[in-house]
Amino acid sequence: CLWTLTTIIKDILKDKVLPEAGILKKLLAPLDAVLEGFYNSILFHHFDSHRYISPYSEAANNLISFIDLLEALLASRTELKLPLRCQRVLFLKVSYVLNLISSSVHYLIKKKFIMLLKKCVLYKSREDAESRSLFLQNPSLYEDMLALSNAVLQVVNLTWLNRIPISEKASYFGGSEAAPGDDTQGVSDQTVLRALSLVVLKALEFKFQNSATVAEIK
């Protein structure tokens, strides 16, 4: 079901002939509360179970499918002037994702969520992309980015970054295992490092520019 819904959303966004906003609203509005409920039930529990340690388990597969759906919902947000709750929940309840990233789930799942966070901090509405309008002219996006920035800075101020492992295995075309004789000790995942750094920097930037007091900035 998750895969089907994700595919339909992506196909609607690809179609340049159909009126995307109208179709997306008809598709997502009846599912709005259901999808937010999915978000709460899937992400709001402990992920220290062995079921999530392997990326090939059914539980991990379902979680990866849900990440793909969240990514499609984020992309579809540009089509609606007033985004639905299911398109905003990733911003408003990002603490669930932050907790999951620092849990014992498989590295692939952590990485997919980190890359999704990167897309969130780089997100711009269609109006912002075209006219560079201020966040204040888009109240829901302003509120969402503020919630995300606050949550990110709150965990970074604690020990969140220290609990996120950076894969020690270099990525190779066709696999992740090092070739015999290769010295990969100390190799870190530069993609994840850059994405995490960007998430923190963009959160700081938004906070400074939009809501921080002088004391908070210090």
Side-chain angles (χ1 to χ4, degrees):
C1 289
L2 291 171
W3 182 89
T4 302
L5 183 57
T6 303
T7 303
I8 291 171
I9 293 171
K10 287 180 177 178
D11 284 350
I12 292 172
L13 294 176
K14 286 178 187 174
D15 197 317
K16 300 303 178 188
V17 179
L18 296 171
E20 295 171 2
I23 294 175
L24 277 170
K25 194 164 186 180
K26 282 183 182 178
L27 173 68
L28 295 177
L31 297 172
D32 199 22
V34 175
L35 291 175
E36 184 176 1
F38 270 7
Y39 185 92
N40 294 337
S41 62
I42 290 174
L43 299 186
F44 187 56
H45 68 84
H46 297 291
F47 283 90
D48 297 324
S49 164
H50 67 278
R51 295 185 305 148
Y52 298 95
I53 294 175
S54 167
Y56 306 110
S57 67
E58 184 180 356
N61 247 321
N62 291 337
L63 193 54
I64 289 169
S65 294
F66 190 62
I67 298 171
D68 293 338
L69 176 58
L70 289 174
E71 191 173 338
L73 288 171
L74 177 66
S76 70
R77 179 174 174 149
T78 57
E79 303 304 324
L80 302 180
K81 287 188 176 179
L82 292 174
L84 297 167
R85 182 79 182 180
C86 65
Q87 295 169 309
R88 301 181 61 193
V89 68
L90 180 59
F91 291 83
L92 299 176
K93 296 183 179 179
V94 73
S95 59
Y96 295 4
V97 171
L98 298 173
N99 289 337
L100 190 149
I101 290 171
S102 62
S103 73
S104 62
V105 296
H106 190 271
Y107 185 75
L108 173 64
I109 297 172
K110 294 175 189 276
K111 184 169 183 174
K112 284 183 74 71
F113 266 119
I114 289 168
M115 301 314 291
L116 182 58
L117 282 182
K118 175 186 170 184
K119 290 185 178 182
C120 287
V121 297
L122 295 176
Y123 176 82
K124 290 184 182 296
S125 70
R126 177 171 286 180
E127 290 77 14
D128 287 330
E130 290 173 358
S131 65
R132 304 183 186 278
S133 61
L134 297 174
F135 277 104
L136 293 173
Q137 294 171 297
N138 193 330
S140 63
L141 184 56
Y142 173 84
E143 182 183 339
D144 293 355
M145 286 300 298
L146 183 59
L148 185 145
S149 299
N150 283 336
V152 168
L153 295 177
Q154 187 174 358
V155 294
V156 168
N157 198 37
L158 301 172
T159 58
W160 183 74
L161 285 174
N162 296 340
R163 299 200 308 272
I164 300 174
I166 301 299
S167 178
E168 294 180 358
K169 292 182 180 178
S171 295
Y172 291 85
F173 198 83
S176 59
E177 295 293 336
D182 280 5
D183 181 15
T184 59
Q185 188 173 5
V187 173
S188 55
D189 190 330
Q190 297 299 308
T191 303
V192 169
L193 281 172
R194 285 193 297 268
L196 276 173
S197 301
L198 184 64
V199 168
V200 176
L201 286 170
K202 296 298 283 186
L204 279 169
E205 179 187 45
F206 184 83
K207 185 73 174 172
F208 287 178
Q209 292 179 350
N210 292 280
S211 68
T213 63
V214 174
E216 283 179 316
I217 290 174
K218 287 181 179 178

